[in-house]
Amino acid sequence: MSQRAAPLDAVVVGAGFAGLYMLYRLRELGLTTRVIERGSDVGGTWFWNRYPGARCDVESIDYQYSFSPELLAEWIWTERYATQPEILRYLNHVADRFDLRRDIAFSTEVTGARYDDDANLWTLTTDTGERVTARYCIMGVGNLSSVKRPDIPGLDEFRGRWFHTAEWPHGGVDFTGQRVAFVGTGSTGIQALPQIAREAELLYVFQRTANYSMPAVNRPLDPAELREVVAAYAERRRASEQSDPGVPGEPPTRSAFDVTDEERRRIYEDGWAVGGIGSLSGQFNDVFTSPEANFTAQEFARNKIRAIVRDPAVAELLCPQHFIGMRRTCVDIDYYETYNRDNVQLVDARRTPITAITPTAIVTADAEYEVDVIVFAIGFDAMTGALLDIDVRGAGGRSLRDKWAHGPRTFLGLAVDGFPNLFAITGPGSPGVLSNMALSIEQHVDWIADCLVYLRANGLDRIEATPEAEDAWVRHVNELADETLYTVSNSWYIGSNIEGKPRVFMPYVGGCGRYRGDCDAVAAARYEGFTLTSVPGAAS
Ligand code: FAD
């Protein structure tokens, strides 16, 4: 990447689902754009998370772009839940088909972003020492991309190999004949463990918190079936856009207590047979708000675990005790069945925490486990981590880290008061991680693109959220969340997986449809809640 004399119209950070589509839209508008990506190629999440068993848990036919009918028609998904290699191939295909790579600087990490009040420009600094200056700075850095590092004493002295699932080696890892320690049983662990168990000689699973996992009921997709779906795709997508989670389907209308115990069990049984994230939590309209309704779904899940896992003590340890749906619900293929294998041992890392690592073993409060390989599936500094990894300075040199010291504050999850011309794609305060993110990303990118068109058409070049609009939005997000069980549950949604992180519930829980309505209303009211100006004398 060379330093350019003239400022660009826009700089985008990240080349995942968000950055790629943003680049496509900006280019379509004739705006000069540069994308900066830390990885050596496109794909974001799907570039980094190459661990065995990695897949989407929103169905492939919904977890894709909808902006190009040609792209939709030509890409043939092969499974209900696509594997990581297939999703990565898809994103590479998108990059090739729309010739996106020529505007992306790879293997370059943005370390700082500073707004210059006089020039009305953002300057980004990178780890390669180069600087990029642009009018608009668009963050497509991802909600789950700032990797949480293991900090167990002794790891540096470990003589075997160790890996983080979110930075998996491109050539894969051969576990044959190896004694493996696996730390973490969230979405990633639940996907990876069944695969690794098939190869490893011995697999110790260190579980701090048992999580709910629903059966994927994965299956190959018939190309003819897929063609039918694509033929009616616009309708499917419109329905998804108006839904809460961003996928098609009618919302539940009944309470868990509108039916008899037997009927409720049958409904859960049917949901379990269909599979997917909402197998249980999507059956009744009060599972997210009523502890008693939630308990019925929990009990059903726990009984399923007890029925699958043969050793009753192991089954009990695998039974989650928190509200279902309030931490990320997992989707698996043969997860619980894995614990029936002779080479798999579950370790209760809540009762006997990991205290140290020696050159050859993991040490807990009451035992030592000799291993050759350690795998950490311990997740991310979610939602704010990647944004705050960058030293972002807004108007008057104000730091985003300072502004968000007590938790993120945004207007619509898209913009921040004090940070003009800065946009976050699926930022905190938007439905992002609670939704089908492919759909939410498209919505944000389209909203930002339309906003830039509006500014240009009206001779404006500076947009900034007002403090009042931001306050009102933060209040609204909190009020909605307070009506649910989310705010009384520990999860990465609330920052509780990271020591010292402020406990603030970050996503917008009102659903994709309602949220889209709010964003559209702001745009229709000439960007009400923003101050729009033109900066005299600023370089154009
Ligand atoms: P990302 O894909 O995370 O891309 C962000 C990019 O920005 C990364 O490539 C990163 O390297 C780059 N970047 C970050 N900071 C910098 C910097 N400072 N400088 C330069 N580059 C930077 N969502 C769903 O809706 N359905 C699913 O089934 C699903 N499955 C998932 C499975 C896993 C294992 C994970 C981790 C996430 C999953 N998600 C899923 C969420 C997923 O992150 C989003 O769906 C989507 O891929 C996000 O795209 P993005 O472009 O916003 O972010």
Side-chain angles (χ1 to χ4, degrees):
M1 177 177 44
S2 62
Q3 183 166 354
R4 291 167 184 235
L8 298 162
D9 292 316
V11 59
V12 178
V13 188
F17 259 101
L20 290 177
Y21 181 44
M22 194 74 244
L23 172 58
Y24 171 86
R25 283 299 317 265
L26 293 170
R27 210 191 257 171
E28 210 184 35
L29 296 176
L31 298 177
T32 55
T33 305
R34 192 77 172 155
V35 177
I36 307 178
E37 167 58 54
R38 180 172 54 207
S40 59
D41 209 337
V42 299
T45 289
W46 306 103
F47 171 86
W48 296 105
N49 292 265
R50 296 170 188 244
Y51 58 84
R55 292 175 185 271
C56 54
D57 52 20
V58 165
E59 295 192 36
S60 319
I61 49 178
D62 298 307
Y63 188 62
Q64 62 176 332
Y65 295 118
S66 69
F67 68 86
S68 160
E70 297 77 21
L71 174 64
L72 269 172
E74 74 201 11
W75 188 262
I76 310 292
W77 295 105
T78 63
E79 292 181 75
R80 182 182 183 193
Y81 296 102
T83 60
Q84 172 272 330
E86 187 167 9
I87 303 171
L88 186 58
R89 276 200 300 281
Y90 169 73
L91 290 171
N92 272 280
H93 172 70
V94 170
D96 292 339
R97 190 185 200 291
F98 300 106
D99 187 21
L100 298 177
R101 282 194 180 78
R102 68 183 154 88
D103 285 324
I104 307 176
F106 291 109
S107 305
T108 307
E109 179 161 346
V110 173
T111 51
R114 178 177 277 273
Y115 176 73
D116 176 333
D117 298 78
D118 297 331
N120 188 29
L121 290 171
W122 281 91
T123 296
L124 273 58
T125 42
T126 68
D127 64 346
T128 59
E130 284 165 292
R131 297 152 70 86
V132 178
T133 298
R135 166 96 346 117
Y136 302 104
C137 175
I138 304 170
M139 296 295 192
V141 290
N143 282 283
L144 298 169
S145 57
S146 179
V147 172
K148 184 181 165 188
R149 308 273 160 204
D151 61 353
I152 306 169
L155 180 58
D156 289 349
E157 277 84 55
F158 182 61
R159 283 207 295 268
R161 298 173 299 158
W162 70 267
F163 305 96
H164 193 299
T165 48
E167 292 174 334
W168 203 253
H170 288 202
V173 177
D174 183 5
F175 291 102
T176 316
Q178 303 281 289
R179 296 163 305 168
V180 182
F182 195 99
V183 183
T185 51
S187 293
T188 290
I190 279 169
Q191 288 186 335
L193 280 161
Q195 304 274 326
I196 296 177
R198 284 189 204 119
E199 275 185 22
E201 183 184 309
L202 256 177
L203 177 58
Y204 298 111
V205 182
F206 294 83
Q207 172 189 272
R208 206 169 56 181
T209 307
N211 282 297
Y212 294 100
S213 186
M214 304 294 117
V217 194
N218 190 38
R219 62 183 172 86
L221 287 177
D222 172 4
E225 173 194 352
L226 201 62
R227 271 196 299 278
E228 239 172 70
V229 172
V230 167
Y233 204 79
E235 209 177 301
R236 182 185 181 94
R237 195 70 163 199
R238 292 302 84 79
S240 304
E241 286 170 0
Q242 292 313 317
S243 74
D244 282 357
V247 292
E250 289 304 312
T253 51
R254 284 185 299 186
S255 155
F257 301 108
D258 285 345
V259 296
T260 63
D261 290 356
E262 197 187 319
E263 211 176 329
R264 191 185 315 115
R265 240 190 329 271
R266 188 189 49 74
I267 289 168
Y268 284 145
E269 202 65 69
D270 290 349
W272 191 267
V274 172
I277 287 188
S279 296
L280 304 182
S281 59
Q283 301 303 334
F284 297 106
N285 64 10
D286 47 359
V287 172
F288 283 72
T289 51
S290 151
E292 294 77 21
N294 193 284
F295 186 78
T296 65
Q298 293 174 38
E299 267 301 276
F300 183 90
R302 286 191 282 263
N303 285 332
K304 280 290 177 198
I305 297 168
R306 290 174 187 129
I308 298 170
V309 180
R310 283 198 290 269
D311 181 329
V314 175
E316 246 8 82
L317 199 49
L318 288 168
C319 281
Q321 300 302 331
H322 50 269
F323 291 124
I324 198 167
M326 302 304 125
R327 298 164 67 89
R328 172 96 184 162
T329 300
C330 311
V331 176
D332 73 276
I333 301 173
D334 294 341
Y335 174 63
Y336 295 117
E337 289 80 353
T338 298
Y339 293 93
N340 292 332
R341 297 178 66 101
D342 292 338
N343 66 335
V344 177
Q345 185 181 328
L346 182 62
V347 180
D348 183 352
R350 168 91 46 202
R351 193 179 59 80
T352 55
I354 297 173
T355 53
I357 293 174
T358 71
T360 57
I362 287 210
V363 184
T364 66
D366 71 349
E368 204 164 314
Y369 300 85
E370 292 277 329
V371 292
D372 307 301
V373 185
I374 306 174
V375 179
F376 294 100
I378 53 176
F380 305 90
D381 182 351
M383 307 195 66
T384 52
L387 283 167
L388 296 180
D389 286 344
I390 303 171
D391 183 13
V392 181
R393 304 275 170 162
R398 182 160 188 208
S399 149
L400 188 63
R401 289 174 187 157
D402 288 347
K403 168 149 184 165
W404 285 6
H406 303 293
R409 302 179 57 78
T410 68
F411 180 38
L412 302 174
L414 273 160
V416 185
D417 155 48
F419 296 78
N421 293 353
L422 178 80
F423 298 95
I425 302 173
T426 66
S430 77
V433 292
L434 297 182
S435 69
N436 167 8
M437 291 208 65
L439 176 141
S440 286
I441 285 168
E442 270 195 346
Q443 186 231 335
H444 265 194
V445 168
D446 287 337
W447 192 94
I448 294 166
D450 291 349
C451 173
L452 299 189
V453 169
Y454 179 89
L455 293 176
R456 186 169 61 182
N458 290 279
L460 301 162
D461 57 14
R462 188 181 189 280
I463 178 165
E464 181 180 1
T466 66
E468 296 77 22
E470 186 178 275
D471 284 348
W473 186 253
V474 170
R475 245 191 338 270
H476 176 57
V477 169
N478 289 336
E479 279 164 9
L480 288 176
D482 284 341
E483 289 168 16
T484 70
L485 303 169
Y486 278 115
T487 49
V488 293
S489 307
N490 278 329
S491 67
W492 54 255
Y493 300 138
I494 205 163
S496 60
N497 64 324
I498 301 288
E499 222 181 293
K501 188 164 173 170
R503 299 287 189 270
V504 175
F505 185 76
M506 295 180 278
Y508 171 90
V509 301
C512 290
R514 182 172 176 182
Y515 173 76
R516 178 179 290 265
D518 287 346
C519 292
D520 289 351
V522 166
R526 298 170 178 268
Y527 296 89
E528 190 176 15
F530 289 94
T531 305
L532 275 53
T533 46
S534 130
V535 179
S540 60

